[in-house]
Amino acid sequence: MIDVEAGRIRVTFRPIDDPDLRAAIARFHRLMPGFTPYPEPEGTEADRAADLPGVPETATEAAAERLGQGER
């Protein structure tokens, strides 16, 4: 999840607990030579979030406007 606020950008982790997705990953793993799922893809708590202070307001406003228009 990416939140754009005046003066900062915050990135947070949202787990996807979808059994169909897990099954698709397992199937992909068996069918794709050389692909191996990372055993702990979610990392540690420190890996799952970032808070970027000091982003100029014009940058955060522009990003929020682009996201509101469907750009990623």
Side-chain angles (χ1 to χ4, degrees), residues 8-46:
R8 70 196 239 184
I9 296 174
R10 180 178 296 158
V11 180
T12 52
F13 172 75
R14 281 184 110 173
I16 300 173
D17 294 323
D18 181 342
D20 292 334
L21 178 60
R22 292 191 186 277
I25 291 169
R27 187 171 48 254
F28 184 80
H29 169 67
R30 288 190 308 273
L31 299 174
M32 176 63 77
F35 174 77
T36 302
Y38 189 74
E40 295 189 35
E42 296 171 1
T44 66
E45 186 66 33

Side-chain angles (χ1 to χ4, degrees), residues 9 33 42 48 60 70 72:
I9 296 174
E42 296 171 1
R48 294 179 224 163
T60 57
R72 304 276 176 206

